Amino acid sequence: MDRGEQGLLRTDPVPEEGEDVAATISATETLSEEEQEELRRELAKVEEEIQTLSQVLAAKEKHLAEIKRKLGINSLQELKQNIAKGWQDVTATSAYKKTSETLSQAGQKASAAFSSVGSVITKKLEDVKNSPTFKSFEEKVENLKSKVGGTKPAGGDFGEVLNSTANASAGAPEPLPEQTQVNP
């Protein structure tokens, strides 16, 4: 390894807070004039390379933008493509596949549970409908309908029963106390 390469690998200590700056200056003073000159040349060379690479990068980015413009690719399309590719990459992972399978199985089990709960509720409602208490209540409602409906056949629906009851009570309307006017 020659002296120039060794200079790149050498690191001078950076003064910590509260440390004497003079100690750091003395470390650079220990370099010979020749070593300092070599480091300055190397510094200039690295700065020139960075500038050249920046110019090359700018030219490449300009060329890339021109190609995209000719192809009709805009930033929104690129974003969509990046998202689609990212999603495709995610769905290809084994963790996603395992999670997807687990959620699918859980969904099937939940669906089966809801189905069985629904059938249990339906059966319970049928049991209530067939119970003697419900039948007794149903008979009382039918008797009430026939009494309220008068001579109408028992086959009328509930709306007709309500209308006939309303018409029977509307035969002799009494004035409400608010509607009565007092003449002075």
Side-chain angles (χ1 to χ4, degrees):
M1 199 185 299
D2 72 345
R3 196 79 163 143
E5 290 177 19
Q6 190 178 17
L8 280 179
L9 298 177
R10 184 184 315 161
T11 58
D12 292 330
V14 177
E16 294 291 325
E17 188 175 327
E19 198 175 298
D20 190 26
V21 178
T24 306
I25 293 173
S26 66
T28 58
E29 290 177 2
T30 60
L31 293 175
S32 68
E33 284 293 321
E34 182 181 308
E35 290 174 331
Q36 288 181 6
E37 187 60 35
E38 188 176 329
L39 286 175
R40 286 187 190 107
R41 281 192 304 263
E42 193 171 338
L43 178 66
K45 181 180 173 186
V46 170
E47 286 176 343
E48 184 180 323
E49 288 175 356
I50 289 173
Q51 185 178 9
T52 303
L53 290 172
S54 295
Q55 291 170 351
V56 169
L57 180 61
K60 294 284 185 183
E61 287 176 341
K62 184 178 177 182
H63 183 67
L64 175 70
E66 183 66 24
I67 291 172
K68 286 181 179 179
R69 186 190 60 77
K70 287 179 181 178
L71 289 174
I73 298 173
N74 62 26
S75 57
L76 182 60
Q77 290 171 331
E78 283 184 36
L79 181 63
K80 287 180 184 177
Q81 289 173 350
N82 289 343
I83 290 172
K85 182 169 181 355
W87 181 248
Q88 185 179 13
D89 292 346
V90 167
T91 57
T93 63
S94 62
Y96 176 83
K97 289 177 183 176
K98 287 179 182 178
T99 303
S100 177
E101 288 174 10
T102 303
L103 290 176
S104 175
Q105 291 171 357
Q108 291 171 354
K109 289 178 181 178
S111 176
F114 288 136
S115 175
S116 65
V117 166
S119 63
V120 167
I121 290 173
T122 303
K123 184 173 181 345
K124 289 291 183 188
L125 288 175
E126 288 175 3
D127 291 347
V128 167
K129 188 176 178 182
N130 293 331
S131 73
T133 306
F134 186 80
K135 289 196 180 284
S136 171
F137 175 73
E138 191 175 35
E139 289 172 7
K140 289 178 183 176
V141 170
E142 286 296 323
N143 289 338
L144 180 63
K145 279 175 45 178
S146 65
K147 287 179 184 177
V148 172
T151 58
K152 290 193 174 191
D157 67 355
F158 190 67
E160 291 175 357
V161 171
L162 285 178
N163 285 336
S164 66
T165 304
N167 290 337
S169 65
E174 293 182 23
L176 295 174
E178 302 158 0
Q179 294 175 342
T180 308
Q181 294 181 350
V182 178
N183 291 332

